[in-house]
């Protein structure tokens, strides 16, 4: 078989163009490229782009009947073309916003002031799990050499493991710096949110889940957990906006709108499900919840003494829309699926913590750190304290009781040996 024939077969299987094989098959970016090359699809797509801009400008207001019908017809037509079932990938920041802009262009009517956003624009890719680092393995390796920590404060332990991981420590330091006031000036919330999204998007979920959902029994631990995202900058403002206004702000942002849609789908509660989730996946619910951090609708813990979460908004002065407002607020504060997922993760963290070998650490004096971040600059010397004195005594007793020469057997052996020596020594 000649080389030209081989190349022909290869191109026929890959669609003829090498870039196509590299692009994701169901990506909205790929769908847009194919649509723009098709005159009929391109014309319909231009209509939808105009509709999308009109919806963004009018926000909650409805277009006139004729314009609305034109947009709906174009949307129905184009969803049957290259854009059918197109989705976007998480954790691809360079292309994520571009892909989401395309997705919401062909789903323009969905977000017209409606809290329920239909379905998530993100596709669930199982291979994304391979990006995770085995946290337990790293924590064990670190505990055998450098890790020091108060075992009564799991949140502090996770922070210390994070500080020893290059990516986690670096990105955590960046968001902590950008979420803190500088020279007496208040923080820049936009930059703070940007760095938080970067942290939760780039650091492996094995770290971020334990970081955000560490189990606490004491308030000092709960305070550290609540302050994980530096809420004075990322969560709170001088006054609470109405939740409807917060939603309106979110819907104008492609990232926030997409993360909200993802949260609604992955954390949809179910009264008939034993795990409380319609999708039966606590892991994807927690991932979707973390995706909301760094958006205008950033959630956080209510206080140091509870694991309940909420949004920084109120439903006062909602008028006839109070029910809609309470639906937004309760989707975080009274979400059975989210609550069960968080409790499940916190319980898992607690089990993993107990499974680790108990170590007593003696620190050298060259450690620099405070309550927010810890930098280990010297070796940590450790000694195991698994065996206590009672355990040693018990083991000694077991050794004596199981020994071949125990009690009476030892005395009989000594008497026999003495008699034998006397007999051999007699003339």
């Amino acid at each position: 078989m000649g080389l030209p024939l081989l190349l022909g077969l290869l191109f026929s299987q890959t669609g003829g163009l090498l870039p196509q094989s590299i692009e994701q098959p169901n990506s909205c970016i790929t769908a847009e490229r194919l649509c723009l090359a098709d005159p009929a699809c391109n014309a319909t797509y231009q209509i939808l782009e105009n509709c999308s801009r009109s919806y963004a400008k009018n926000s909650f207001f409805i277009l006139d009947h004729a314009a609305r019908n034109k947009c709906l017809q174009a949307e129905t037509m184009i969803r049957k073309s290259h854009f059918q079932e197109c989705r976007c990938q998480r954790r691809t920041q360079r292309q994520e916003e571009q892909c989401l802009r395309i997705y919401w262009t062909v789903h323009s009517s969905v977000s017209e002031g409606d809290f329920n956003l239909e379905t998530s624009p993100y596709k669930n890719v199982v291979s994304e799990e391979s990006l995770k680092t085995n946290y337990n393995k790293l924590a064990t390796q670190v505990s055998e050499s450098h890790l020091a920590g108060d075992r009564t404060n799991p949140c502090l332990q996770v922070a210390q493991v994070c500080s020893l991981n290059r990516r986690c420590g670096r990105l955590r330091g960046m968001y902590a710096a950008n979420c803190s006031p500088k020279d007496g000036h208040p923080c820049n919330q936009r930059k703070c949110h940007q760095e938080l999204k970067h942290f939760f998007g780039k650091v492996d979920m094995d770290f971020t889940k334990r970081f955000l959902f560490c189990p606490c029994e004491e308030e000092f631990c709960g305070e550290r957990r609540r302050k994980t995202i530096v809420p004075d900058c990322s969560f709170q403002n001088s006054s609470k906006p109405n939740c409807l206004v917060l939603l309106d702000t979110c819907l104008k942002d492609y990232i926030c709108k997409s993360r909200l849609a993802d949260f609604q789908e992955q954390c949809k509660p179910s009264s008939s499900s034993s795990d409380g989730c319609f999708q039966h996946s606590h892991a994807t619910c927690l991932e979707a919840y973390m995706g909301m951090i760094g958006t205008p609708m950033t959630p956080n813990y209510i206080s140091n003494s509870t694991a309940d979460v909420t949004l920084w908004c109120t439903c006062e002065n909602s008028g006839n829309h109070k029910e809609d407002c309470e639906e937004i607020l309760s989707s975080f504060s009274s979400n059975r699926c989210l609550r069960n997922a968080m409790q499940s993760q916190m319980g898992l963290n607690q089990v993993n913590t107990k499974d680790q070998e108990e170590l007593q650490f003696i620190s050298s004096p060259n450690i620099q750190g405070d309550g927010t971040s810890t930098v280990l600059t010297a070796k940590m010397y450790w000694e195991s304290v698994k065996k206590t004195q009672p355990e040693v005594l018990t083991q000694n007793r077991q050794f004596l009781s199981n020994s071949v020469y125990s009690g009476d057997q030892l005395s009989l052996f000594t008497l026999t040996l003495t008699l034998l020596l006397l007999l051999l020594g007699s003339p």
Side-chain angles (χ1 to χ4, degrees), residues 51-69:
C51 294
S52 181
R53 284 190 287 268
S54 298
Y55 283 134
K57 290 179 181 178
N58 288 279
S59 185
F60 281 74
F61 299 101
I62 300 175
L63 300 178
D64 63 81
H65 183 71
R68 179 174 170 79
N69 281 346

Side-chain angles (χ1 to χ4, degrees), residues 25-227:
N26 294 328
S27 170
C28 293
I29 296 176
T30 304
E32 184 190 51
R33 181 179 60 78
L34 295 172
C35 179
L36 295 179
D38 181 341
C41 183
N42 187 15
T44 307
Y45 187 62
Q46 298 305 319
I47 294 174
L48 280 178
E49 283 193 316
N50 291 331
C51 294
S52 181
R53 284 190 287 268
S54 298
Y55 283 134
K57 290 179 181 178
N58 288 279
S59 185
F60 281 74
F61 299 101
I62 300 175
L63 300 178
D64 63 81
H65 183 71
R68 179 174 170 79
N69 281 346
K70 184 178 181 180
C71 292
L72 290 174
Q73 288 175 4
E75 190 172 318
T76 302
M77 288 177 59
I78 208 159
R79 284 204 204 178
K80 296 178 181 179
S81 65
H82 304 286
F83 294 97
Q84 188 175 15
E85 302 299 329
C86 85
R87 290 289 187 272
C88 300
Q89 277 189 292
R90 300 178 182 87
R91 295 173 171 252
T92 54
Q93 288 187 332
R94 291 184 178 180
Q95 293 187 338
E96 182 181 7
E97 190 163 1
Q98 178 190 0
C99 184
L100 294 174
R101 175 190 61 78
I102 299 167
Y103 177 87
W104 290 114
T105 296
V106 298
H107 295 80
S108 301
S109 63
V110 172
S111 59
E112 189 190 326
D114 190 1
F115 175 60
N116 298 303
L117 296 174
E118 197 178 74
T119 57
S120 171
Y122 296 107
K123 53 184 173 183
N124 293 320
V125 181
V126 178
S127 61
E128 287 183 6
E129 294 295 314
S130 63
L131 296 173
K132 298 199 298 181
T133 299
N134 189 325
Y135 176 90
N136 289 335
K137 182 178 180 181
L138 177 61
T140 301
Q141 292 173 351
V142 172
S143 69
E144 292 176 350
S145 56
H146 301 294
L147 179 63
D150 179 4
R151 291 183 59 80
T152 64
N153 192 339
C155 296
L156 178 59
Q157 283 190 309
V158 176
Q160 290 168 335
V161 175
C162 174
S163 69
L164 296 178
N165 176 273
R166 182 178 298 177
R167 175 177 290 185
C168 187
R170 178 174 58 84
L171 294 180
R172 178 176 174 241
M174 289 178 66
Y175 87 67
N178 281 279
C179 294
S180 302
K182 295 179 181 179
D183 302 324
H185 298 287
C187 72
N188 185 322
Q189 191 180 70
R190 184 185 63 81
K191 288 185 178 180
C192 174
H193 282 174
Q194 184 178 357
E195 293 301 333
L196 278 169
K197 281 189 291 187
H198 199 54
F199 175 81
F200 284 99
K202 291 295 184 182
V203 176
D204 297 337
M205 285 182 288
D206 250 7
F207 282 92
T208 54
K209 281 183 181 179
R210 287 170 172 81
F211 205 64
L212 198 61
F213 307 115
C214 47
C216 290
E217 295 180 0
E218 304 293 340
E219 281 204 26
F220 63 85
C221 175
E223 180 182 15
R224 188 178 188 91
R225 179 175 62 190
R226 184 182 63 81
K227 290 184 176 180

